[in-house]
Amino acid sequence: QGRCTLLGVAVPVQAAPASADQLILQVDAGSDANRFRLRNLAGGATLLVGDVLAGAVTDAPGLGSLTPGAPLRFGVSIEGTGRIAGCVNGGTVQASTGGPVGGQTTLRIGNNASLTEPAFLELATLQILPFAVPDSGLRGLVASLPG
């Protein structure tokens, strides 16, 4: 079902180009049609978590911005019920619902399955927990990451 918590520190090299999102991480079922993701929107530095179900995109409100060359601490919690929550740099936790509820078996870092959303980042650390951390604990875990 993709139930997990992903905690990490990355250093993005640049803001997203106007032509494509930068995918920081994705949990999917082998394609981009059904997935959960943390991404930087095309044309800037705005970070979002969200999901894609049968090609339909749902995003949570913005998580904040990245700064090229500066450490980005992030946390993503996937409940296995179609919900994803995210937090960056210890900020507010944002969530979206209505995502896939089964078949999520692949973790991709730095690009999507189609290889069309390269992130251009250095991943310093990644922790994978086999359970979803509640929103109340995600912010603290992200804030405690080195960076």
Side-chain angles (χ1 to χ4, degrees):
Q1 295 177 334
R3 185 178 301 116
C4 65
T5 300
L6 307 164
L7 302 166
V9 179
V11 179
V13 176
Q14 65 185 38
S19 60
D21 292 344
Q22 291 177 325
L23 194 90
I24 296 169
L25 61 85
Q26 171 172 307
V27 176
D28 64 54
S31 77
D32 293 329
N34 295 297
R35 59 185 169 152
F36 293 100
R37 62 190 177 170
L38 170 62
R39 66 187 172 123
N40 179 27
L41 288 178
T46 302
L47 295 162
L48 298 172
V49 289
D51 60 75
V52 178
L53 180 61
V57 176
T58 304
D59 286 318
L63 296 172
S65 298
L66 63 79
T67 302
L72 171 68
R73 297 172 305 172
F74 62 86
V76 172
S77 181
I78 300 170
E79 293 184 0
T81 61
R83 184 179 189 274
I84 181 172
C87 177
V88 296
N89 295 325
T92 302
V93 175
Q94 301 287 359
S96 75
T97 59
V101 295
Q104 280 35 68
T105 59
T106 304
L107 170 62
R108 299 177 199 275
I109 301 167
N111 214 331
N112 61 0
S114 303
L115 303 177
T116 59
E117 299 176 351
F120 304 108
L121 58 80
E122 178 181 334
L123 185 64
T125 185
L126 180 65
Q127 300 172 28
I128 303 171
L129 307 176
F131 53 88
V133 170
D135 293 0
S136 59
L138 189 60
R139 183 177 184 182
L141 287 173
V142 171
S144 70
L145 290 169

